């Protein structure tokens, strides 16, 4: 029987954590009763440097349900993608299969059973995919669709309408842990693993409680990180745009010379200033874009740990981890 670990990254989720624990424990009990997972399957909450009582609540849940609820406390806030990675890498030696899900309960826990069924059919990665985006605002729905289309144009492989609700077999997590990037974009990394995959579809719900931890600023940062971490096409596009402007500049030069020799010289102060501003802005854009790539190289070559684990709660025994190789994850 396969042992399941449900990995839940948490940042300031005190309002919803108890609800999430109850719902996920119910899922574990149901799947265990049906004989689809091992009885020692568990939930692994990852506290991403929360400023509220999230870690205290995780400790309370672990004390009340030591066999079903475990926890990882990160030494500081490192962001959703790093926190999720910390949970996956920590859980991979404790279980046979993992499922990652956010604590807000917007992803439908009822389809976890279907994910397990697809896993038993031989799929190493099972993606949770939203059927539609009717619950989103017009702005969020439009920008999300534009994001996926843009990622496709840039050559980045992603699963449309999939976030980070997914099942991964142990060997899939083992392969994922070999990726050394500091600039993480898990939605683009998973298709690179190459094992057999499947999709399950569900309707996304409203948050059970609390506020979204992914405002527009973070969403835009994630989108840019995904594009710049997996594609150099933006630089190629800037190069192509530069060549196109040079071409039109040559045409403008020919027109200017023609006007000069035919005596139809018209004062062009406005067009001159506009062209200077336009080309200056384009140059700054190109320099800034290239600078972003250089900055990513700078971050990667330092090879600093992606996160530090301060404490692990597992099997009713608290294990303090003091900056060991297991805690300072760089794999």
């Amino acid at each position: 029987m396969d042992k399941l670990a449900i990995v839940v990254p948490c940042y300031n989720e005190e309002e919803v954590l108890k609800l999430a624990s109850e719902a996920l424990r119910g899922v574990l009990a149901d799947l265990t009763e049906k004989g689809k997972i091992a009885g020692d399957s568990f939930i692994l909450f990852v506290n991403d440097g929360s400023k509220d009582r999230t870690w205290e609540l995780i400790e309370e849940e672990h004390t009340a349900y030591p066999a079903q609820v475990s926890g990882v406390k990160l030494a500081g806030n490192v962001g959703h993608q790093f926190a999720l990675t910390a949970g996956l890498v920590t859980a991979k030696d404790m279980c046979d299969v993992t499922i990652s899900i956010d604590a807000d309960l917007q992803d439908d826990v009822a389809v976890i059973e279907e994910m397990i069924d697809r896993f038993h059919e031989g799929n190493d990665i099972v993606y949770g995919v939203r059927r539609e985006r009717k619950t989103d605002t017009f702005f969020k729905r439009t920008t999300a669709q534009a994001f996926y289309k843009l990622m496709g144009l840039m050559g980045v492989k992603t699963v449309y309408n999939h976030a980070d609700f997914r099942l991964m077999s142990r060997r899939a997590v083992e392969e994922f842990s070999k990726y050394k990037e500091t600039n993480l974009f898990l939605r683009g990394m998973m298709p690179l693993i190459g094992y057999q995959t499947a999709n399950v579809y569900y309707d996304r719900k409203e948050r059970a409680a609390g506020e979204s931890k992914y405002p527009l600023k973070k969403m835009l940062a994630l989108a840019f990180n995904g594009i710049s971490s997996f594609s150099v096409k933006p630089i190629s596009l800037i190069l192509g745009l530069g060549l196109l402007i040079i071409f039109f500049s040559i045409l403008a030069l020919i027109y200017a010379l023609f006007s000069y020799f035919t005596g139809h010289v018209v004062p062009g102060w406005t067009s001159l200033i506009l062209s200077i501003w336009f080309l200056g802005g384009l140059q700054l854009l190109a320099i800034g874009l290239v600078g972003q790539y250089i900055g990513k190289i700078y971050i990667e070559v330092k090879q600093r740990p992606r996160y530090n684990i301060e404490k692990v709660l597992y099997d009713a025994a608290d294990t303090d981890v003091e900056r060991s190789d297991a805690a300072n994850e760089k794999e």
Side-chain angles (χ1 to χ4, degrees), residues 263-281:
H264 297 88
V265 179
V266 178
W269 183 87
T270 302
S271 60
L272 177 63
I273 293 300
L274 290 176
S275 64
I276 291 175
W277 285 1
F278 175 73
L279 292 176

Side-chain angles (χ1 to χ4, degrees), residues 41-318:
S41 298
F42 63 97
I43 307 162
L44 182 65
F45 289 106
V46 183
N47 181 46
D48 183 23
S50 298
K51 298 177 182 178
D52 59 7
R53 297 182 61 250
T54 295
W55 179 247
E56 295 176 31
L57 295 177
I58 293 173
E59 289 182 313
E60 290 178 8
E61 290 295 295
H62 173 69
T63 301
Y65 310 97
Q68 290 82 36
V69 178
S70 299
V72 171
K73 183 180 183 182
L74 301 183
N77 177 246
V78 294
H80 180 272
Q81 300 289 278
F82 289 120
L84 180 52
T85 299
L88 292 173
V89 174
T90 301
K92 71 181 175 66
D93 295 325
M94 305 175 182
C95 64
D96 303 300
V97 58
T98 63
I99 290 178
S100 58
I101 187 171
D102 289 339
D104 56 21
L105 297 178
Q106 288 189 275
D107 298 319
D108 189 0
V109 299
V111 302
I112 289 179
E113 181 177 356
E114 186 178 353
M115 286 181 162
I116 294 295
D117 292 338
R118 301 290 86 77
F119 168 70
H120 288 154
E121 292 172 0
N123 296 287
D124 284 280
I125 302 176
V126 182
Y127 299 106
V129 180
R130 297 176 62 173
R131 286 194 181 93
E132 54 192 5
R133 288 183 169 270
K134 288 184 178 180
T135 58
D136 289 346
T137 63
F138 174 78
F139 176 78
K140 186 172 183 179
R141 181 169 61 252
T142 303
T143 54
Q145 292 172 347
F147 165 72
Y148 284 108
K149 291 179 181 178
L150 180 60
M151 293 290 283
L153 291 174
M154 293 295 165
V156 184
K157 293 182 179 180
T158 57
V159 178
Y160 185 70
N161 274 348
H162 164 71
D164 288 304
F165 183 30
R166 72 178 70 87
L167 174 148
M168 298 179 70
S169 67
R170 180 171 180 173
R171 72 167 185 165
V173 178
E174 290 279 3
E175 288 301 313
F176 164 68
S177 67
K178 296 177 182 178
Y179 289 76
K180 308 296 183 181
E181 292 101 313
T182 299
N183 297 284
L184 291 180
F185 183 65
L186 301 187
R187 303 177 200 182
M189 296 173 71
M190 297 306 165
L192 299 179
I193 294 176
Y195 291 145
Q196 184 171 327
T197 66
N199 295 343
V200 298
Y201 297 90
Y202 67 98
D203 294 317
R204 191 169 172 85
K205 305 175 182 179
E206 298 291 337
R207 280 185 64 93
E211 298 179 352
S212 173
K213 304 307 184 295
Y214 252 90
L216 178 61
K217 181 180 179 180
K218 284 190 175 182
M219 291 175 61
L220 293 175
L222 180 66
F224 181 78
N225 185 52
I227 293 172
S228 59
S229 295
F230 284 85
S231 176
V232 295
K233 280 193 175 182
I235 294 180
S236 300
L237 292 174
I238 290 294
L239 176 61
L241 182 59
L243 293 174
L244 183 64
I245 290 175
I246 290 175
F247 172 73
F248 281 111
S249 297
I250 293 173
L251 294 181
L253 175 62
I254 294 173
Y255 173 77
L257 291 174
F258 175 79
S259 299
Y260 176 78
F261 287 114
T262 56
H264 297 88
V265 179
V266 178
W269 183 87
T270 302
S271 60
L272 177 63
I273 293 300
L274 290 176
S275 64
I276 291 175
W277 285 1
F278 175 73
L279 292 176
L282 179 63
Q283 290 171 347
L284 290 174
L285 174 64
I287 293 171
L289 183 61
V290 174
Q292 287 289 328
Y293 280 91
I294 295 174
K296 286 181 176 290
I297 295 172
Y298 171 69
I299 292 172
E300 294 287 351
V301 298
K302 288 188 292 187
Q303 295 186 334
R304 291 178 178 174
R306 296 188 289 190
Y307 52 80
N308 294 329
I309 295 177
E310 181 178 334
K311 193 173 187 179
V312 176
L313 304 176
Y314 180 63
D315 280 348
D318 292 359

